[in-house]
């Protein structure tokens, strides 16, 4: 399985989101994401970069949180993120803001 196909599998499982939601995060269609996953079609450089950033966020979360806590954290409204859910920030491409919140989690700051 290609690296991007593995990333799609891991992200959708860890984040408990359907492919359609991941496609929205990547600014593409679910059909396109499924082609990357099942047919080995390579994402464009723009989409590959976004997928790699989201996969990095997933890896960081797995380093800091227990698997069952990842979904709860991503779907919960968060005061340190201006009352937004981490998934909402993913949809807007605000990766650095999420990475900063994950770093706070790692340092023991309640977020």
């Amino acid at each position: 399985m290609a690296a991007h196909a593995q990333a799609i599998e891991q992200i959708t499982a860890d984040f408990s989101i359907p492919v359609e939601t991941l496609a929205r995060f990547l600014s593409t269609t679910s059909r396109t994401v499924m082609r990357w996953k099942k047919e080995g079609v390579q994402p464009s450089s723009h989409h590959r970069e976004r997928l790699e950033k989201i996969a990095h966020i997933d890896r960081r979360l797995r380093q800091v949180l227990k698997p069952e806590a990842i979904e709860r954290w991503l779907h919960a409204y968060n005061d340190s993120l201006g009352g937004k859910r981490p998934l909402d920030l993913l949809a807007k491409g605000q990766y650095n803001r999420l990475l900063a919140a994950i770093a706070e989690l790692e340092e023991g700051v309640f977020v």
Side-chain angles (χ1 to χ4, degrees), residues 12 19 21 23-24 40 51 56 73 75-76 78 92 95 102 109:
T12 55
V19 169
T21 301
R24 187 169 40 95
L51 181 60
H56 176 67
W73 186 79
H75 292 264
N78 191 310
K92 293 178 182 180
Y95 309 119
I102 295 166
V109 176

Side-chain angles (χ1 to χ4, degrees), residues 10-111:
Q10 188 76 53
I11 293 164
T12 55
D14 289 347
F15 292 7
S16 296
I17 58 171
V19 169
E20 293 79 11
T21 301
L22 179 59
R24 187 169 40 95
F25 294 166
L26 298 169
S27 300
T28 192
T29 65
S30 58
R31 183 176 179 199
T32 297
V33 174
M34 291 306 293
R35 287 180 62 227
W36 299 339
K37 181 179 168 185
K38 299 215 182 255
E39 298 174 23
V41 175
Q42 294 294 316
S44 68
S45 60
H46 168 74
H47 290 115
R48 186 173 43 251
E49 181 179 335
R50 291 187 88 154
L51 181 60
E52 288 171 358
K53 287 179 181 179
I54 295 169
H56 176 67
I57 288 168
D58 183 28
R59 284 190 302 276
R60 292 288 295 128
L61 282 170
R62 282 188 276 124
Q63 291 172 345
V64 175
L65 297 174
K66 293 179 180 177
E68 62 274 8
I70 292 173
E71 177 186 2
R72 284 194 311 267
W73 186 79
L74 286 168
H75 292 264
Y77 291 93
N78 191 310
D79 289 339
S80 74
L81 296 173
K84 301 203 181 313
R85 299 178 311 157
L87 284 179
D88 298 331
L89 298 181
L90 272 175
K92 293 178 182 180
Q94 295 182 357
Y95 309 119
N96 290 337
R97 195 166 171 198
L98 283 172
L99 289 169
I102 295 166
E104 289 176 354
L105 281 173
E106 190 171 37
E107 294 298 319
V109 176
F110 182 78
V111 292

